Amino acid sequence: MKAEYVNSFYKATNDVFKLMLDLETHKENLVLVEEMVSSKDANVVLGVTGNLKGSVLFSFPRNMVLEMIKIMSGMEVDKIDSFASSALGEVANIIGGNALTVLSQNNYVCDIAPPQIFVGEYKSFSMATEKALKLSLNTSIGAFDIIMYLQPSS
Amino acid sequence: MWKEKYKVGVRLIDEQHQELFNRVSDFVQTIRSEEHWEDKLDKVKETMAFMQEYVVVHFEEEEIYQEKINYPDIQEHKQEHTKFKEGVNHYVKIFEEEGFTEEKIQEFGGRLMTWLIMHVGKMDQKIGAYVEGKGGETQ
């Protein structure tokens, strides 16, 4: 998987977090993983189609999501209900949209499917034989992962 | 919900943005309150009616202003306005067909808040930067 795919999502995540949440993100590590597994409490999957195809999974811990919603709404939130999960899904969707803009500057024309949100469900997503990349990011309100599996369309 | 950093430096646009934020903030506070769901419904319906009308008016005025100042990214901006309106109308349709269910209203509230922050916090800041580059507000 090419670095520019990962960088597009990393840059978009950074920009959106700064803009919407006033948060800086710091890269913790980037590793190859065998499976695309949602390992934290709240997960958003974006399907990518077009010149590239695959999926991007955002995986957040519960307390971080509650804090994100608090930053945006200015209100205390104590559970990830449909208000919080739809806001989270939309943040991921916006990141995806921004990443596609970055990719289009590198001549990849792609689309994203509406976000799918899973709360408290640990799922794995099947892939082809290739491995996925897991990017772990840290912020002042918690750490989260972006797991990407993107390949050029044949 | 409103933050000073969302100001674009054009009075009319900033006033309308603050009104939008106030309404969305009120709406979110209402749907998040402990009141009985039935008691919140009037506020929900009122906000939906307001959003449908005010969003259209605000976007039109913003587009007229952009034309006046020869804003170069007007087409891209109009597309974003269209998407925002489609997003609101999508839920209007859901509420018409399925009624005002709490689940869908909460879902809409989460999305609306995010769209507004994103649109004003990102897209509209570019108008501010353009106006500033031209030497300040062009009324």
Side-chain angles (χ1 to χ4, degrees):
Chain A
M1 207 164 91
K2 288 187 181 174
E4 59 190 320
Y5 310 162
V6 179
N7 287 339
S8 306
F9 277 88
Y10 176 52
K11 184 182 182 310
T13 305
N14 254 332
D15 290 349
V16 170
F17 265 61
K18 201 168 196 171
L19 194 99
M20 301 192 73
L21 302 162
D22 292 313
L23 288 174
E24 298 281 344
T25 57
H26 305 282
K27 209 186 268 184
E28 289 285 289
N29 62 20
L30 179 65
V31 291
L32 276 172
V33 287
E34 297 286 340
E35 261 190 317
M36 205 164 188
V37 186
S38 58
S39 55
K40 294 187 164 69
D41 310 305
N43 306 283
V44 186
V45 181
L46 300 176
V48 179
T49 56
N51 292 156
L52 298 177
K53 62 174 182 184
S55 306
V56 178
L57 166 70
F58 295 83
S59 201
F60 298 93
R62 178 181 177 276
N63 286 345
M64 181 174 178
V65 174
L66 299 181
E67 198 58 36
M68 285 164 74
I69 305 303
K70 186 180 159 187
I71 292 170
M72 285 195 283
S73 68
M75 295 170 66
E76 292 289 339
V77 184
D78 60 4
K79 60 178 186 293
I80 306 177
D81 55 12
S82 59
F83 174 82
S85 64
S86 83
L88 183 73
E90 215 44 46
V91 170
N93 199 25
I94 289 167
I95 292 172
N98 284 14
L100 294 197
T101 305
V102 180
L103 283 169
S104 72
Q105 288 157 3
N106 294 318
N107 296 319
Y108 296 104
V109 181
C110 304
D111 247 318
I112 43 173
Q116 289 176 277
I117 306 146
F118 307 96
V119 179
E121 288 175 71
Y122 302 100
K123 292 192 177 191
S124 71
F125 301 87
S126 61
M127 300 180 299
T129 47
E130 296 265 348
K131 289 179 180 175
L133 273 172
K134 182 167 95 168
L135 172 66
S136 300
L137 298 172
N138 203 0
T139 72
S140 59
I141 60 164
F144 66 103
D145 300 322
I146 308 172
I147 306 166
M148 289 164 265
Y149 174 71
L150 293 169
Q151 291 296 316
S153 297
S154 47
Chain B
M1 202 181 277
W2 167 262
K3 291 176 183 156
E4 280 298 302
K5 71 167 188 173
Y6 296 148
K7 275 192 176 172
V8 297
V10 178
R11 206 179 63 232
L12 176 76
I13 295 179
D14 283 333
E15 282 170 5
Q16 292 186 354
H17 282 163
Q18 285 189 39
E19 176 67 8
L20 276 170
F21 268 89
N22 286 342
R23 291 290 189 135
V24 172
S25 183
D26 259 12
F27 176 66
V28 169
Q29 273 177 22
T30 305
I31 62 171
R32 308 292 299 161
S33 71
E34 298 293 322
E35 271 179 74
H36 281 295
W37 181 244
E38 286 70 27
D39 299 335
K40 301 178 193 172
L41 268 181
D42 284 345
K43 183 80 184 176
V44 167
K45 288 175 185 166
E46 183 197 312
T47 306
M48 287 307 296
F50 172 82
M51 289 307 298
Q52 277 178 274
E53 195 188 314
Y54 197 78
V55 161
V56 172
V57 170
H58 165 64
F59 285 171
E60 274 175 10
E61 292 199 17
E62 215 177 78
E63 287 168 14
I64 289 168
Y65 179 76
Q66 289 177 358
E67 275 169 21
K68 202 166 89 182
I69 63 168
N70 295 317
Y71 183 60
D73 295 332
I74 187 165
Q75 288 312 324
E76 186 196 355
H77 207 108
K78 277 186 176 173
Q79 280 175 16
E80 291 298 321
H81 283 170
T82 304
K83 276 195 221 164
F84 197 121
K85 285 185 275 191
E86 280 171 1
V88 173
N89 288 335
H90 170 71
Y91 278 93
V92 170
K93 200 164 166 244
I94 288 176
F95 301 144
E96 276 170 7
E97 285 168 5
E98 299 174 18
F100 290 87
T101 61
E102 175 154 17
E103 173 81 12
K104 286 290 173 193
I105 292 281
Q106 296 287 356
E107 187 186 296
F108 174 63
R111 292 228 165 116
L112 185 62
M113 173 184 78
T114 318
W115 294 336
L116 184 62
I117 294 173
M118 186 58 201
H119 187 73
V120 173
K122 186 183 181 202
M123 290 302 293
D124 289 347
Q125 295 308 307
K126 293 183 188 168
I127 309 173
Y130 175 77
V131 170
E132 209 179 302
K134 292 275 173 193
E137 183 166 351
T138 318
Q139 288 288 6

